[in-house]
Amino acid sequence: MTYTRKNVWELGGDWADPILWYARGVKAMKARALNDPTGWRFFGAIHGIDQGLWQQLGYLSSSDQMPSSADIATYWNQCQHGSWYFLPWHRGYLLAVEAMVRDAVVKLGGPADWALPYWNYFKPNENQLPPAFASANWPDGGDNPLFVPQRYGPNNDGNVNVPMDQVNLNELGDPDFTGDANGGSPGFGGVDTGFSHGGQIHGGIETQPHDQVHVLVGGSDPESNLPGLMSDPDTAGLDPIFWLHHANIDRLWEVWRGNPTTDVDPTDPNWINGPPAVGDPAFTMPMPGGVSWTYTPGDLSDLSKLNYAYDDVSPPAGTPQLATRLQRLGVNMATAAAPVRSTAMAGPKTVELLGANTQSLRVTGTEARTSLTLDAAVKSKVTTSLESAAAAARPAPDRIFLNLENVRGINDATTFNVYINVPEGDDPAKHPELKAGSIALFGVRKATMADAQHAGDGLTFVLEITHVIDTLHLAGALNVSQLNVRLVPVNPVPDAAQISIGRISVFRQST
């Protein structure tokens, strides 16, 4: 039997059977104790748990009995972030909860082929929170199992939606799965790590749209400043919408795999065989019937072998591609077709620092600014690569990446837009061509706290600004000694959030 995941907005109604059965399965799991490996809160803690935060939000009480120390060590606090394991670990997590919900559904008399829906917020008019999650009531009466009060939305006013100007699918055009940890592209899937429960450098698809949607949906309570469930990795798995969001991220992995100009999943044994290949713990999930499932990334790369599929893995219109960039730069595509594909299969990249600011930056209020001094010799290489591309002498011009390094703070529900070289006195929002991207600080609180998994150095976010550099080059405005960076928060950042950026740097990456 193949289980087909379908778009939640296209099931036939707000409470179509697949979503109604999901609610019933969630209700059954929520009724189970914290220490029950088949329970809802147990599964939430697999992603992450902060006992103090759970208590503040009402998900942990003094009467709850904790699981055994063996179960905690085996299952809890496993989520892989800032890692090339981000996608396969979450795929296994989805499969496990889907199996657990399906088991509850079948026991309640529901369909044996039930599958988890996904939320494709990129489709027109489907970026609002699906109605079944927005109401406290549901057809079965009583409290709706899919509704949680701790969803505040992008403006922290309870209107939960995903603003289209805050998210993008640019990473679907990244040719490489595995990225560079030294300033270049973090890759579509992330940088090479071992077991990484909260790594420092977030990969491309993790940064955008994964992190962004988490924080846009969760937001924070404007009165207490406590995060919405989706805004913090230690509470996100408690929200039923989490699973539909991650089903969409998982679907986008399949979309990327179908792009003829991208590379394939890693063939490195350390990825295929998972963390045990480097002496780290294996990925293990509880399954129905009291059994455990241990899996590796290599086990999960082929959907057909996993007996599930998506109803739509077609590429969205307008996804940035290398060919589009080369055309914009004036490359004769008749002679560049072969190199366009070959860049995805190229060997190690050359990454070089182009410039950086000279001091850390505190982000408060409605804006923060800094300037990056550029190295003249390195900038000359960038200019040469762009000019050579136009002459078709070098059809793979440099890619440019802006790094926000050692981002620290205690409020994950912080998002901001980043702009490059906006003219003084102009409204940045009126210059979309100079927008580097949007950043959501999902995971920053945990990464700021020094503990067994983290050194307290914060997170590093990488934005590809190739399109901005191309724009400046084509306008003849790249002959500058500095790049001016403006950070514009979506909502004003309070001083109490303690948001700081250790350094902002820019790197060129060539092949």
Side-chain angles (χ1 to χ4, degrees):
M1 178 184 296
T2 297
Y3 306 103
T4 302
R5 294 179 182 166
K6 299 179 181 179
N7 187 332
V8 66
W9 278 97
E10 299 171 4
L11 295 175
D14 295 351
W15 285 102
D17 279 352
I19 200 69
L20 183 57
W21 281 113
Y22 178 50
R24 290 168 177 163
V26 170
K27 180 181 178 181
M29 291 181 67
K30 283 187 172 183
R32 298 167 187 165
L34 174 67
N35 62 354
D36 185 343
T38 71
W40 188 255
R41 287 184 296 163
F42 191 99
F43 260 80
I46 291 174
H47 195 268
I49 179 172
D50 179 307
Q51 293 188 32
L53 187 55
W54 278 39
Q55 289 171 347
Q56 286 180 288
L57 294 171
Y59 289 87
L60 183 65
S61 71
S62 58
S63 62
D64 284 313
Q65 182 176 344
M66 298 295 287
S68 68
S69 57
D71 276 354
I72 290 175
T74 299
Y75 296 117
W76 281 13
N77 291 312
Q78 275 204 59
C79 72
Q80 301 295 291
H81 288 278
S83 168
W84 64 346
Y85 297 137
F86 166 74
L87 286 167
W89 183 87
H90 282 84
R91 176 167 285 182
Y93 191 35
L94 284 171
L95 286 168
V97 82
E98 187 175 56
M100 206 66 75
V101 173
R102 185 184 300 118
D103 181 69
V105 164
V106 171
K107 288 176 180 176
L108 291 168
D113 64 349
W114 179 86
L116 187 70
Y118 64 88
W119 177 21
N120 183 7
Y121 22 77
F122 287 100
K123 292 199 74 170
N125 303 314
E126 295 182 4
N127 62 320
Q128 289 285 333
L129 184 72
F133 295 80
S135 171
N137 302 310
W138 68 310
D140 285 12
D143 294 337
N144 176 8
L146 303 185
F147 174 80
V148 297
Q150 301 94 352
R151 291 191 202 111
Y152 303 101
N155 296 315
N156 299 328
D157 58 3
N159 179 17
V160 181
N161 65 93
V162 178
M164 289 296 95
D165 64 343
Q166 298 297 311
V167 292
N168 64 65
L169 289 170
N170 293 346
E171 280 304 315
L172 290 180
D174 196 310
D176 301 307
F177 184 100
T178 307
D180 179 86
N182 298 304
S185 169
F188 175 81
V191 299
D192 184 350
T193 67
F195 188 100
S196 180
H197 180 58
Q200 189 169 13
I201 302 173
H202 283 205
I205 197 68
E206 184 177 4
T207 297
Q208 198 39 288
H210 168 266
D211 291 353
Q212 199 74 6
V213 171
H214 263 283
V215 173
L216 291 171
V217 169
S220 64
D221 184 341
E223 296 183 3
S224 68
N225 287 322
L226 288 172
L229 296 184
M230 281 281 282
S231 294
D232 193 297
D234 282 340
T235 57
L238 295 169
D239 191 333
I241 198 63
F242 169 96
W243 306 95
L244 278 70
H245 168 42
H246 266 279
N248 194 48
I249 296 299
D250 187 75
R251 185 186 68 88
L252 292 174
W253 184 10
E254 289 305 296
V255 174
W256 178 83
R257 284 165 54 93
N259 185 338
T261 64
T262 60
D263 204 346
V264 295
D265 292 342
T267 57
D268 188 324
N270 288 349
W271 186 85
I272 292 172
N273 298 319
V278 292
D280 285 342
F283 300 150
T284 305
M285 295 289 168
M287 297 295 279
V291 300
S292 294
W293 171 46
T294 298
Y295 63 94
T296 68
D299 294 334
L300 304 185
S301 60
D302 187 344
L303 289 188
S304 65
K305 295 180 180 179
L306 299 171
N307 299 320
Y308 83 98
Y310 289 98
D311 63 346
D312 181 11
V313 292
S314 58
T319 302
Q321 303 289 346
L322 176 59
T324 302
R325 181 191 182 200
L326 297 179
Q327 286 178 318
R328 184 172 65 244
L329 292 173
V331 174
N332 182 343
M333 296 309 295
T335 62
V340 166
R341 177 68 185 104
S342 67
T343 55
M345 306 302 293
K349 311 296 188 293
T350 298
V351 176
E352 191 171 11
L353 179 66
L354 174 58
N357 65 350
T358 57
Q359 58 186 6
S360 63
L361 181 67
R362 189 72 181 267
V363 182
T364 61
T366 60
E367 185 176 277
R369 301 189 184 197
T370 190
S371 294
L372 283 59
T373 301
L374 302 181
D375 182 284
V378 179
K379 188 183 69 172
S380 178
K381 294 179 183 179
V382 174
T383 302
T384 298
S385 82
L386 295 171
E387 293 172 346
S388 297
R394 188 167 185 257
D398 289 351
R399 298 169 68 193
I400 310 299
F401 297 90
L402 188 75
N403 284 237
L404 285 74
E405 305 172 16
N406 302 112
V407 182
R408 304 177 78 252
I410 59 174
N411 187 342
D412 288 34
T414 302
T415 60
F416 49 84
N417 300 315
V418 184
Y419 294 87
I420 305 293
N421 280 20
V422 174
E424 186 64 34
D426 283 10
D427 179 359
K430 294 182 179 179
H431 290 278
E433 76 283 3
L434 299 178
K435 184 178 179 180
S438 300
I439 293 290
L441 304 190
F442 184 69
V444 73
R445 176 188 63 86
K446 200 164 187 174
T448 300
M449 301 165 52
D451 57 25
Q453 287 83 33
H454 309 92
D457 292 333
L459 299 174
T460 290
F461 296 96
V462 183
L463 294 173
E464 180 161 9
I465 62 168
T466 298
H467 60 291
V468 177
I469 298 300
D470 286 353
T471 296
L472 295 174
H473 167 71
L474 293 171
L478 194 55
N479 187 26
V480 293
S481 60
Q482 290 185 326
L483 291 181
N484 298 316
V485 178
R486 292 172 69 172
L487 309 177
V488 183
V490 173
N491 297 299
V493 178
D495 288 345
Q498 301 178 32
I499 306 300
S500 64
I501 304 173
R503 186 177 80 156
I504 299 182
S505 56
V506 62
F507 289 80
R508 67 178 282 267
Q509 177 176 295
S510 64
T511 54

